[in-house]
């Protein structure tokens, strides 16, 4: 008689025939019946854990968005505006305008970035033109990235290591902050992580279709950010290592990427009559990256976009070059920039090797990122404060006479008592000045306005209570060349949990020179009852955990995890987990690098840290189990 194991999805046929037993007796289970049930149980566990990790990551990012939604618009404003401008052109002109030589999209200045992110914005804008909608799409994608790290580690090691690595990615303040920025950096990592997951799956069951999709997902990442363009070759090399008997799979990876990237290259050739694989900008960032490490200016390379445009206008006697990076003659100018950069590298090879080493090392450091606030953010708008009356006003005389000045700093009244001039001491991060106390009530949204004019340095303006608890904070930086003719009205919103007294505190923030500022009258506005106070408890927990997300904690754990994998001689796992970091260490380190460009590396730092912590947990559980079993046997 043939038996079948029944599960929720229907009967699973058992391939082995068993002898019929007497009535009333149950047939014995064999391996073919047990394995499907165990497989189903393992799959259910992964799905459940993946959902939990996604919800944790999504929740942390939503709370981060709630904290920072009034600030993200100040990050890379010009770049964000460029993406949004192209997105609106795509939405209004339709897909056909993308291939038209006469549309506004045929301007070479639109080739500064790949069009993938603008296409995504255009798709979202077709439903609702809202930054919040874009941010929530990115938040969901970044939460999926945390799940992908969990799946990668679960495939290579154990569920425990996968869960730890996934939770590290879910709780990371660095990843949460970048996910809410209106930039493609965080969302471009998801296709790369999917490609790594497919590579780990292929270790057990190498199939042509799997390697084709590895290339396809890398190509999708290239549509979002061009810095992954050569990553395909590294994945192809990794494929040769993990599947040496199937060399054709490496070619399939390259073909998969070309399948996605070539349509964009062909489109650029049709519209611009130039060979542009993805976008322009490599030469610009190459030169600016060189200038970053040429502190003395010996090489004569400008460190900013404006500097490059001005130099090229003078060098080529083309005034029309000043003001735009790519139009006119964008392709030719980019080639000239690359040639100039390569000439510098050839002339100073050892110096440039040192630059690359420093950049590579910097990728192993976690970004100094804002932690999740312990108090809920405000829910009231702050755009119409002119319609409200300030509940507290501190004029310049009160600020000068009742404020507290740090040793070595100086605060003096001027402009007939209308402002206070503040000169800082030489402490790079030291507190400089504390204003008078202002009372606030529990469960209320407030905003403090601080008119500020910065003449030099970099300052952090905080709203704190007497115990040093920070309610709100903002960093103000002096921009060289700018004329400080008007005050900047710094707005510091916050919600209160308890009755308290707050004050405004000024401090240096990594200033290279002594900061100098002029401060106007401070005002405190009461906006209305605070909402979402119930998030105070979860915020306290996440905030406490996020304090551990510093390089001094995570990097040693990641190194331990790498050593564990090496000592276990798991060569395939090493290849899968290092192919992306090695790419960024070698290729991205050759050009201008910011943390958001190399955010993918952080996921693999958390992966190796998860291995160390997961193996440690498994070891402790094993020893405790052995002790319990030993005690029971006695």
């Amino acid at each position: 008689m043939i038996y079948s194991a029944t599960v929720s999805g229907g009967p699973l046929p058992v391939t082995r025939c068993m002898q019929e037993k007497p009535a009333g007796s149950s047939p014995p289970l064999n391996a073919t019946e047990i394995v499907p049930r165990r497989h189903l149980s393992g799959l259910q566990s992964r799905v459940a854990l993946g959902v939990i990790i996604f919800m944790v990551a999504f929740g942390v990012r939503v709370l981060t968005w709630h904290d920072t939604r009034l600030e993200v618009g100040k990050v890379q404003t010009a770049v964000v505006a460029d993406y949004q401008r192209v997105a609106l052109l795509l939405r209004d002109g339709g897909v056909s305008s993308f291939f038209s030589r006469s549309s506004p999209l045929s301007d070479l200045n639109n080739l500064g970035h790949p069009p993938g992110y603008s296409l995504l914005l255009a798709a979202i804008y077709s439903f609702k033109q809202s930054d919040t909608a874009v941010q929530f799409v990115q938040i969901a994608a970044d939460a999926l990235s945390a799940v992908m790290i969990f799946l990668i580690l679960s495939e290579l090691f154990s569920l425990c290591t996968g869960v730890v690595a996934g939770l590290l990615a879910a709780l990371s303040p660095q990843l949460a902050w970048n996910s809410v920025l209106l930039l493609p950096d965080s969302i471009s990592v998801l296709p790369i992580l999917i490609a790594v997951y497919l590579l780990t799956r292929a270790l057990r069951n190498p199939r042509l279709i799997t390697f084709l999709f590895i290339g396809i997902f890398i190509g999708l990442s290239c549509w979002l950010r061009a810095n992954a363009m050569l990553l395909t070759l590294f994945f192809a090399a990794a494929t040769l290592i993990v599947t040496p008997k199937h060399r054709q799979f490496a070619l399939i990876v390259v073909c998969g990427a070309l399948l996605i990237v070539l349509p964009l290259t062909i489109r650029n050739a049709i519209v611009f009559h130039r060979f542009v694989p993805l976008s322009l900008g490599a030469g610009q960032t190459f030169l600016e990256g060189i200038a970053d490490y040429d502190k003395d200016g010996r090489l004569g390379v400008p460190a900013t976009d404006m500097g490059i445009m001005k130099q090229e206008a003078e060098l080529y006697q083309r005034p029309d070059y000043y003001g735009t990076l790519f139009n006119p003659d964008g392709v030719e100018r980019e080639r000239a920039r690359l040639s100039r950069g390569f000439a510098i590298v050839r002339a100073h090879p050892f110096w440039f090797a040192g630059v690359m080493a420093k950049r590579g090392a910097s990728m192993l450091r976690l970004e100094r990122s804002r932690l999740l606030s312990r108090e809920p953010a405000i829910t009231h708008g702050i755009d119409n404060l002119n319609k409200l009356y300030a509940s507290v006003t501190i004029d310049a005389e009160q600020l000068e006479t009742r404020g507290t000045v740090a040793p070595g700093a100086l605060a003096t009244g001027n402009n007939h008592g209308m402002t206070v001039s503040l000169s800082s001491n030489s402490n790079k991060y030291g507190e400089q000045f504390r204003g008078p106390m202002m009372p606030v009530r529990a469960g209320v949204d407030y905003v403090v306005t601080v008119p500020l004019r910065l003449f030099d340095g970099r300052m952090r303006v905080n709203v704190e209570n007497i115990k040093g608890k920070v309610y709100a904070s903002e960093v103000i930086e002096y921009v060289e060349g700018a004329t400080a003719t008007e005050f900047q009205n710094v707005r510091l919103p916050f919600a209160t949990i308890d009755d308290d007294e707050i004050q405004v505190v000024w401090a240096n923030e990594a200033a290279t020179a002594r900061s100098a500022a002029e401060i106007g009258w401070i005002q405190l506005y009461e906006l209305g009852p605070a909402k979402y106070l119930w998030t105070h408890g979860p915020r306290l927990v996440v905030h406490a955990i996020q304090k551990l997300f510093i390089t001094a904690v995570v990097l040693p754990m990641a190194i331990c995890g790498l050593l564990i994998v090496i000592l276990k001689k798991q060569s395939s796992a090493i290849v899968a987990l290092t192919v992306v970091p090695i790419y960024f260490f070698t290729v991205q380190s050759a050009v201008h690098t910011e943390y958001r460009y190399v955010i993918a590396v952080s996921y693999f730092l958390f992966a190796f840290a998860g291995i160390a912590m997961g193996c440690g947990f498994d070891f402790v559980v094993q020893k405790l189990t052995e002790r319990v079993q030993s005690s029971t046997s006695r």
Side-chain angles (χ1 to χ4, degrees), residues 607-622:
F608 282 112
I611 292 170
M613 297 170 68
C615 288
F617 181 79
D618 286 339
F619 177 79
V620 171
V621 170
Q622 180 183 353

Side-chain angles (χ1 to χ4, degrees), residues 236-479:
T239 301
L240 286 174
I241 295 172
V242 299
T243 59
K245 296 181 180 180
H246 303 279
R247 295 185 177 181
Q248 70 275 17
F249 287 159
L251 180 61
I252 295 300
V253 171
V254 176
C255 290
L258 290 177
L259 188 68
I260 302 300
V261 173
L262 271 182
L264 180 55
T265 307
I266 295 171
R267 176 262 177 185
N268 291 340
I270 292 172
V271 175
F272 301 105
H273 302 288
R274 294 288 190 278
F275 174 71
V276 182
L278 286 170
S279 61
L280 299 174
Q284 160 211 346
T285 55
F286 190 22
L287 289 180
E288 291 177 8
I290 290 173
D292 282 345
Y293 288 84
D294 180 29
K295 301 300 183 184
D296 300 328
R298 296 181 299 107
L299 301 176
V301 179
T304 63
D305 293 350
M306 293 300 295
I308 286 178
M309 291 184 287
K310 181 180 179 181
Q311 189 180 70
E312 288 177 347
E314 296 171 352
L315 181 64
Y316 299 112
Q317 297 296 305
R318 292 287 302 270
D320 53 339
Y321 282 3
Y322 186 70
T324 61
L325 281 167
F326 306 116
N327 194 17
D329 305 329
V331 177
E332 290 75 14
R333 289 163 69 183
E334 270 293 283
R335 290 173 180 171
R337 293 164 189 163
L338 287 170
S339 298
R340 183 182 179 187
F342 287 132
I344 292 173
V345 173
R346 288 193 297 270
H348 308 278
F350 297 107
W351 172 81
F352 190 73
V355 168
M356 290 182 63
K358 291 176 183 177
R359 286 194 184 124
S362 71
M363 297 177 195
L364 296 174
R365 293 197 295 267
L366 294 181
E367 183 183 26
R368 287 173 60 93
S369 187
R370 171 176 173 169
L371 306 183
L372 188 67
S373 173
R374 287 171 291 192
E375 280 73 38
I378 69 168
T379 53
H380 294 80
I382 59 174
D383 295 330
N384 297 316
L385 296 181
N386 56 339
K387 297 181 180 180
L388 301 176
Y389 290 100
S391 57
V392 177
T393 298
I394 297 177
D395 58 29
E397 182 181 356
Q398 293 173 313
L399 193 62
E400 180 186 8
T401 57
R402 293 166 52 194
T404 305
V405 186
L410 183 64
T412 56
N414 57 11
N415 292 337
H416 305 289
M418 295 300 295
T419 61
V420 170
S421 292
L422 175 63
S423 298
S424 76
N425 58 30
S426 57
N427 192 329
K428 291 183 67 173
Y429 289 98
E431 179 185 301
Q432 303 299 316
F433 185 54
R434 281 184 172 267
M437 302 299 296
M438 297 178 282
V440 292
R441 297 184 296 114
V444 176
D445 284 347
Y446 289 95
V447 63
V448 173
T449 61
V450 184
L452 183 71
R453 181 161 54 181
L454 195 63
F455 297 102
D456 201 2
R458 194 166 183 253
M459 299 199 81
R460 178 178 291 277
V461 185
N462 288 351
V463 174
E464 302 179 9
N465 68 5
I466 193 65
K467 297 180 180 179
K469 174 183 175 181
V470 178
Y471 279 98
S473 179
E474 185 165 343
V475 174
I476 310 298
E477 186 169 8
Y478 171 70
V479 180

Side-chain angles (χ1 to χ4, degrees), residues 1-5 12-14 16 18-21 27 33:
M1 179 177 180
I2 299 179
Y3 293 91
S4 64
L12 290 175
V14 178
R16 174 181 263 176
M18 301 172 62
Q19 292 181 352
E20 192 169 353
K21 296 293 180 180
E33 292 176 295

Side-chain angles (χ1 to χ4, degrees), residues 550-568:
I550 58 176
T551 305
V553 174
V554 175
L555 184 56
M557 296 297 296
I559 293 173
C560 289
L562 177 60
L563 291 176
I564 289 172
V565 181
I566 293 173
L567 292 174
K568 288 187 175 183

Side-chain angles (χ1 to χ4, degrees), residues 82 91 102 114 116 253 324 499:
D82 192 51
R91 185 197 65 179
S102 60
V253 171
T324 61
D499 293 330

